[in-house]
Amino acid sequence: MSRVPLRQALAELPAYVPGARSPVGAAAFKLSSNENPYPPLPSVVAAIADAAVDANRYPDMFATELTGALAERLDVPAESVVTGCGSVAVLGHVLTAVCEPGDEVVFPWRSFEAYPIAVTLAGAVPVRVPVAADGRLDLEALADAITERTRVVVVCTPNNPTGPAVHADELDAFLARVPDDVLVVLDEAYVEFVRDPHAPDGLAVYRAHPNVVLLRTFSKAYGLAGLRVGYAVARPRLAAGIRQATTPFGVSHVAQLAAVASLRASRELAARVEGIVAERTRLLTGLRSQGWDVPDSQANFVWLGLGDASASFAERSARAGVVVRPFQGDGVRVSVGEPEATDVFLEFTAAERVR
Ligand SMILES: *Cc1c(COP(=O)(O)O)cnc(C)c1O
């Protein structure tokens, strides 16, 4: 047994629990990780195959082509875009770039389970602010939680796992209360699925506030979760700091080319996103008409606040052919999948009502 001490912080770290995978050979829909249910488009698969032959070489460390394509798409300077191995990694780099040991990072809870882990690993102190009973972020409470020690506030919109997006007016009021030396990370992992007319325009918010950083990803709407590409949009000085904290050569050549090909195929991918949004409506409507209390969702998942019944519900759902993600004590998150998955799940939930 090794006597080398591990960092004390690790002992307090909550585990990141991945969504369960379907048992091998079992015919089950995997609605546990908010993945896109559709495989990459043929043009993207072709780019992946092309990139494979260069695997003996290090990738472009600055992901120049991808960064340029994103900058053009978002109408920001290329120096403002920082890519990384999924936006989870980028969040870690943002925190490493701005947090001194003991600084506080405020975030909503329950929200993305990576937050407390990333904050603790960065040597900062997690400050959790409860999400309201209707699954919406309490932006007033988030602002109230800011102290002299606060360095960062994370706003997850739409919120994973509860679903609603923040509204533009409440975000404006919140930002007016945040000191200009406190960073606000707007985590927009699901932005492509948002249809709420009151939701903010993240890029406009970014332009109006030098202390706002956007986090986005190719994992959800773009369907590249397995290739690990995400990015931050930040003012050049902040972006340079985040880049300093980034793992060198973090985004593989395959991932870079797949992301560029996906941006080129935006129109086709947008049609898929539209289909997922329609399926989300069908899932929400179906559940509500069965009598379930489901918060609004602006993402590719819905939330059932089942409390202590969550784990057993998830077990029965898996047996019925749909693997979902329980957060025992809080609720169950169900990703929006293909129409067949919605059918099987709604059949299961109808049977649960009469249990
Ligand atoms: C899925 C998700 C991410 C993105 O994860 P990647 O590392 O880019 O795959 C970021 N934030 C939230 C809230 C998410 O749910």
Side-chain angles (χ1 to χ4, degrees):
M1 176 156 157
S2 172
R3 291 173 46 80
V4 177
L6 287 163
R7 266 175 68 196
Q8 192 58 44
L10 298 188
E12 293 136 36
L13 220 54
Y16 190 113
V17 182
R21 310 182 75 94
S22 326
V24 177
F29 292 103
K30 182 176 185 283
L31 303 185
S32 54
S33 297
N34 298 345
E35 294 150 332
N36 195 309
Y38 303 109
L41 294 166
S43 62
V44 177
V45 173
I48 290 170
D50 281 351
V53 301
D54 293 321
N56 56 314
R57 304 291 178 193
Y58 282 105
D60 172 359
M61 183 150 124
F62 304 107
T64 315
E65 191 185 357
L66 173 58
T67 301
L70 284 168
E72 194 181 313
R73 180 68 53 106
L74 305 172
D75 194 18
V76 297
E79 345 142 52
S80 291
V81 178
V82 189
T83 58
C85 287
S87 52
V88 166
V90 181
L91 173 65
H93 301 144
V94 170
L95 297 174
T96 306
V98 300
C99 292
E100 298 288 357
D103 280 352
E104 293 176 353
V105 178
V106 176
F107 53 87
W109 198 252
R110 180 163 286 278
S111 186
F112 189 29
E113 64 183 325
Y115 294 157
I117 301 171
V119 169
T120 305
L121 285 178
V125 178
V127 178
R128 295 171 174 81
V129 173
V131 168
D134 59 2
R136 307 195 69 243
L137 297 200
D138 186 343
L139 285 163
E140 278 183 42
L142 281 166
D144 290 341
I146 296 173
T147 71
E148 257 141 54
R149 315 212 31 203
T150 306
R151 178 60 40 228
V152 181
V153 184
V154 183
V155 175
C156 186
T157 182
N159 188 49
N160 174 13
T162 57
V166 300
H167 288 172
D169 54 354
E170 55 187 8
L171 185 61
D172 285 346
F174 163 79
L175 287 165
R177 289 186 59 195
V178 179
D180 60 9
D181 61 349
V182 170
L183 187 71
V184 176
V185 174
L186 211 54
D187 186 343
E188 298 194 303
Y190 302 96
V191 67
E192 296 87 353
F193 299 104
V194 174
R195 297 294 178 271
D196 183 345
H198 301 295
D201 170 351
L203 274 163
V205 172
Y206 161 76
R207 289 198 172 92
H209 298 274
N211 60 332
V212 167
V213 165
L214 303 182
L215 279 188
R216 293 189 176 179
T217 179
F218 283 90
S219 294
K220 310 288 164 51
Y222 282 89
L224 295 180
L227 289 182
R228 317 303 305 124
V229 203
Y231 59 96
V233 183
R235 288 295 191 284
R237 190 182 61 86
L238 284 174
I242 300 165
R243 226 173 267 121
Q244 280 182 290
T246 297
T247 314
F249 308 107
V251 184
S252 74
H253 183 56
V254 172
Q256 291 183 30
L257 291 206
V260 169
S262 297
L263 286 173
R264 282 200 194 109
S266 288
R267 202 141 4 120
E268 282 166 276
L269 287 168
R272 284 180 168 185
V273 167
E274 218 42 68
I276 293 168
V277 167
E279 210 52 37
R280 170 180 82 200
T281 304
R282 197 163 76 85
L283 188 54
L284 276 176
T285 316
L287 286 167
R288 285 174 178 157
S289 72
Q290 290 174 4
W292 299 90
D293 188 14
V294 196
D296 175 44
S297 173
Q298 294 298 316
N300 66 341
F301 53 81
V302 301
W303 174 250
L304 293 163
L306 299 177
D308 291 334
S310 302
S312 58
F313 175 96
E315 255 168 62
R316 290 191 299 279
S317 177
R319 265 185 263 131
V322 179
V323 181
V324 297
R325 174 72 167 89
F327 296 88
Q328 180 60 358
D330 282 347
V332 172
R333 190 190 65 200
V334 185
S335 309
V336 179
E338 46 282 77
E340 297 76 15
T342 309
D343 293 340
V344 175
F345 186 68
L346 286 175
E347 212 172 293
F348 163 70
T349 52
E352 282 284 298
R353 292 310 287 183
V354 294
R355 243 179 101 244

